[in-house]
Amino acid sequence: MRLSKNTVAAFEQYPEKVLQFGEGNFLRCFVDWMFHELNKKADFKGSIVVVQPIENGMVDMLNEQDCLYTLYLRGLQNGKVENYHETISVISRGINPYTQFSEYLKTAENPEMRFVISNTTEAGIAYKAEDKATDTPPSSYPAKLTVWLYHRYKTFNGDASKGMHIIPCELIDKNAYYLKKYILQLAADWKLEDGFTAWLESACTFNNTLVDRIVPGYPKDRIAEITAELGYEDKQVVEGEPFHLWVIEAGEQLEKELPFPSIGLNVLYTKDVSPYKVRKVRILNGVHTALVPVAYLYGIDTVRESMEDAVVGKFIKDALFEEIIPTLDLPLQELQDFAAAVLERFSNPFIKHLLMSISLNSWAKFETRVLPSILEYVKRKNAVPKHLSFSLAATIAFYKGERNGEAIALKDDADLLELLQNAWSKYDGSDASVKAVVTTVLAYEKNWKFDLNTVAGLTDAVTAHLVNIQKLGMKEAIKTV
C-alpha cells in the first residue's frame, strides 16, 4: 500500500499561500516541516505549491502519493536520544513548469499567495543573459521567478497588497540580495515597465537567510525496516537531525505573518544575518575542518568517533571554546549554547559522517572557515592559537598523502596537490626540511590571499607542530598541545 490521503487520518487541505522552488530533501525536512508545524500550532492554515526548478525532478513522484511524505528526526536533543516520525501534509501539489507552464503562471493569480521559498542549490541563483521573457519557461530560477512576479503584478494591476515575501534558502552569502539583483537585471533586459520595478521595490521583500540542519535524506539502508514500521510504502521518506536553525533578515511584518518562534521553532528574525553566518562558519564548519586531519591521522574515520575519543574529543572542545569563541562578537552565552549544540550534533548516533567526505577541498575550506579565527586570535591575543595552528600542521601532514602506510585519496585542486607533492618530495627528515614545507604552503597566496609567513609566529608554530607529527606520530604529537 502506497502512502496517500486515504492512509492519513483527519487529512485537511488548506489554501495555497506558499510557492516553493525545489522539491528536494532539505526543503521537505526543514521549511516544509516548519510550515506543517505552523498549521498545527499557530492557525496558519496554508499549504505549499512545489515548483520543480529543473527539467528532470521529482514532482511526479511526489504527486503520486498526494504530496505526502514521512519525516524522521533522529539524533540527540538536550542530551537525550530523539527518534520521531510524522506524516507531513503541508504540500498541496507539485508543478513541473516545463510541462505545465500555464498552470505554473496561474498560481500567480491566487490572491492568497504570499511567500516564495527556494533551494535551487548554490548554482541556482545565477543570471543568464540568454533567458527571455517569452520562454516557457526560462532556464534559470531568477528568470522563472521574474516571469511569475510580472504575471502577478499584471494580474492585480500593481496592487501593493499582493506583493510577496521572498525567502531563498540557497547556501550562498546574501542569497536574497543576489536574487533581487538578477531579477531587476532581467526586468531591465526585458524592458518591463518601471511600475513593475517600483512594485518589486515597495511591495515585495527580499530576505537574506541562513539555514542549518543536517539532512541525510532518503534512508535507503533501512527503508525495509521503515516500511514495516509504517505499514505503507513511502518513496519520499526523508531523515534529518532534530537540530534546526533558520535565521531570516526581515522586519516585524514577516515575523507577524510567520510566527515560527512563538511555536518553539529555532527561527531567528534579525536585521543582519551576517553575525550568525560568521558564527556558523567559524564554529560548526570551522571545527569540522580543523578536526578532519587531526582525527583521521589519529586513526579515526567518523565525526562521532572523534567526539567519543577522550584525546581527540578534548582537542576539539579546547579549540572551540578556547580559540574560536574568543574571536567572535555575539553574546558569550549565545555562542557557548550554539557550540554545545554543535558538539551534540557531532555525537549523533544515527549519522555516520565520514571524515574523508568532509576532507574534500580542505585548503579552500581552511582559508574560509579556520584561518579567520587564527588571524583574529593573533590580533586579539598577540599569540598564535596552539590548537588551530596544530590543525594547520596536521592538514599539511594529511596532504603528504599517507596514513599508517596506506595512501590517502586526496581530493583538491590540481595546483594545490602539485604544490604539496613537490614540497614533500624535498623532505629529508630534518627540521629544516619541515620548515621548508611549511613555508612553501603558507606562502601560497592563491589560496590564502596573502603570504601567511608574514603572520607573527605562525610559521614557527606550525613548523614545531609538524616536526612533532612527523617524529612522534599523531597519537603522541597531539599530547604536546
Side-chain angles (χ1 to χ4, degrees):
M1 179 174 63
R2 174 75 65 84
L3 174 62
S4 68
K5 294 176 183 177
N6 297 327
T7 63
V8 178
F11 176 84
E12 188 170 0
Q13 190 73 70
Y14 293 112
E16 295 173 345
K17 297 182 180 180
V18 184
L19 187 74
Q20 175 176 300
F21 291 83
E23 74 279 30
N25 289 320
F26 182 80
L27 284 180
R28 290 189 294 110
C29 187
F30 188 75
V31 173
D32 298 346
W33 164 72
M34 291 191 188
F35 276 103
H36 180 81
E37 291 294 298
L38 213 55
N39 279 338
K40 286 166 46 182
K41 301 175 181 177
D43 202 33
F44 177 68
K45 292 185 177 178
S47 67
I48 297 170
V49 180
V50 168
V51 178
Q52 184 174 293
I54 58 176
E55 193 162 3
N56 297 313
M58 300 188 300
V59 294
D60 288 344
M61 190 182 299
L62 201 57
N63 285 327
E64 284 174 8
Q65 49 188 58
D66 297 329
C67 294
L68 299 168
Y69 63 94
T70 310
L71 170 67
Y72 274 80
L73 298 179
R74 309 172 79 222
L76 296 176
Q77 187 86 320
N78 299 320
K80 297 180 180 178
V81 173
E82 181 172 327
N83 189 359
Y84 159 85
H85 73 270
E86 181 179 9
T87 302
I88 305 299
S89 59
V90 73
I91 300 175
S92 59
R93 57 188 168 134
I95 294 175
N96 181 353
Y98 291 87
T99 58
Q100 300 171 283
F101 186 73
S102 60
E103 192 67 22
Y104 164 64
L105 277 190
K106 191 175 180 180
T107 62
E109 301 170 11
N110 175 4
E112 294 196 68
M113 274 291 181
R114 185 61 171 151
F115 311 96
V116 175
I117 304 290
S118 65
N119 187 8
T120 57
T121 77
E122 290 90 326
I125 297 180
Y127 168 71
K128 293 186 178 181
E130 62 270 24
D131 279 326
K132 303 291 184 259
T134 53
D135 293 343
T136 57
S139 63
S140 72
Y141 164 50
K144 287 185 182 73
L145 182 54
T146 303
V147 167
W148 189 93
L149 289 168
Y150 185 65
H151 187 73
R152 185 171 182 82
Y153 165 79
K154 297 292 285 185
T155 297
F156 296 104
N157 298 310
D159 184 348
S161 70
K162 299 302 184 289
M164 301 293 293
H165 291 298
I166 298 162
I167 314 170
C169 297
E170 285 81 359
L171 295 175
I172 62 171
D173 193 26
K174 298 181 180 179
N175 43 22
Y177 167 84
Y178 286 105
L179 179 57
K180 180 179 180 181
K181 177 182 178 180
Y182 299 146
I183 288 174
L184 291 174
Q185 180 62 59
L186 289 163
D189 292 348
W190 299 345
K191 295 181 171 53
L192 304 180
E193 59 262 46
D194 292 341
F196 173 59
T197 301
W199 180 78
L200 287 174
E201 294 282 8
S202 62
C204 299
T205 69
F206 290 80
N207 307 274
N208 292 319
T209 67
L210 170 70
V211 297
D212 189 6
R213 170 173 262 177
I214 297 172
V215 179
Y218 183 75
K220 60 182 179 181
D221 59 332
R222 66 185 203 98
I223 194 61
E225 169 194 338
I226 287 174
T227 302
E229 177 184 13
L230 297 176
Y232 55 76
E233 180 187 14
D234 181 357
K235 293 185 176 181
Q236 295 286 302
V237 175
V238 60
E239 280 191 331
E241 64 171 342
F243 179 90
H244 61 281
L245 171 66
W246 197 6
V247 184
I248 305 174
E249 204 171 85
E252 294 180 0
Q253 183 59 37
L254 184 58
E255 184 171 4
K256 288 179 182 177
E257 294 187 45
L258 297 179
F260 293 118
S262 70
I263 61 170
L265 296 180
N266 193 19
V267 177
L268 302 177
Y269 289 99
T270 179
K271 293 181 180 179
D272 184 9
V273 76
S274 301
Y276 297 95
K277 179 177 177 59
V278 171
R279 181 184 73 173
K280 176 180 180 285
V281 169
R282 299 272 194 92
I283 292 180
L284 188 149
N285 303 121
V287 171
H288 256 165
T289 299
L291 154 70
V292 168
V294 176
Y296 191 78
L297 293 179
Y298 192 87
I300 294 172
D301 292 321
T302 69
V303 173
R304 180 170 60 85
E305 290 171 317
S306 304
M307 293 301 304
E308 292 171 348
D309 184 89
V311 175
V312 176
K314 183 179 187 303
F315 176 90
I316 297 166
K317 293 169 187 173
D318 289 347
L320 175 52
F321 289 100
E322 295 177 9
E323 298 177 2
I324 296 176
I325 286 179
T327 70
L328 298 172
D329 293 324
L330 286 170
L332 180 60
Q333 190 60 54
E334 191 174 316
L335 292 169
Q336 291 176 338
D337 289 346
F338 182 77
V342 164
L343 295 179
E344 186 172 65
R345 296 166 72 189
F346 287 177
S347 301
N348 189 337
F350 299 109
I351 296 177
K352 186 177 182 180
H353 204 166
L354 294 173
L355 297 174
M356 282 303 297
S357 69
I358 306 171
S359 73
L360 177 66
N361 297 327
S362 287
W363 289 113
K365 290 176 180 176
F366 202 100
E367 189 268 330
T368 58
R369 301 173 176 186
V370 185
L371 180 61
S373 295
I374 292 176
L375 298 178
E376 189 63 26
Y377 189 95
V378 171
K379 178 181 176 182
R380 297 187 184 195
K381 305 286 188 179
N382 197 31
V384 175
K386 57 185 180 180
H387 295 83
L388 297 182
S389 60
F390 184 88
S391 175
L392 180 50
T395 306
I396 297 173
F398 180 85
Y399 274 74
K400 191 179 181 183
E402 181 183 314
R403 179 177 79 163
N404 298 328
E406 294 184 0
I408 299 174
L410 300 172
K411 294 181 180 179
D412 216 310
D413 291 343
D415 57 323
L416 279 162
L417 294 176
E418 183 180 357
L419 176 83
L420 269 296
Q421 184 180 25
N422 288 338
W424 276 115
S425 70
K426 300 170 185 174
Y427 170 67
D428 60 11
S430 67
D431 293 0
S433 65
V434 171
K435 186 168 186 176
V437 173
V438 171
T439 302
T440 298
V441 173
L442 298 194
Y444 194 60
E445 296 188 25
K446 183 178 178 182
N447 188 72
W448 308 118
K449 311 300 187 290
F450 72 102
D451 186 348
L452 292 188
N453 291 293
T454 62
V455 178
L458 185 61
T459 304
D460 289 342
V462 175
T463 299
H465 291 316
L466 189 54
V467 166
N468 285 333
I469 292 171
Q470 290 305 114
K471 289 184 176 180
L472 306 175
M474 182 58 73
K475 289 196 173 184
E476 292 300 318
I478 195 172
K479 296 177 183 177
T480 67
V481 185

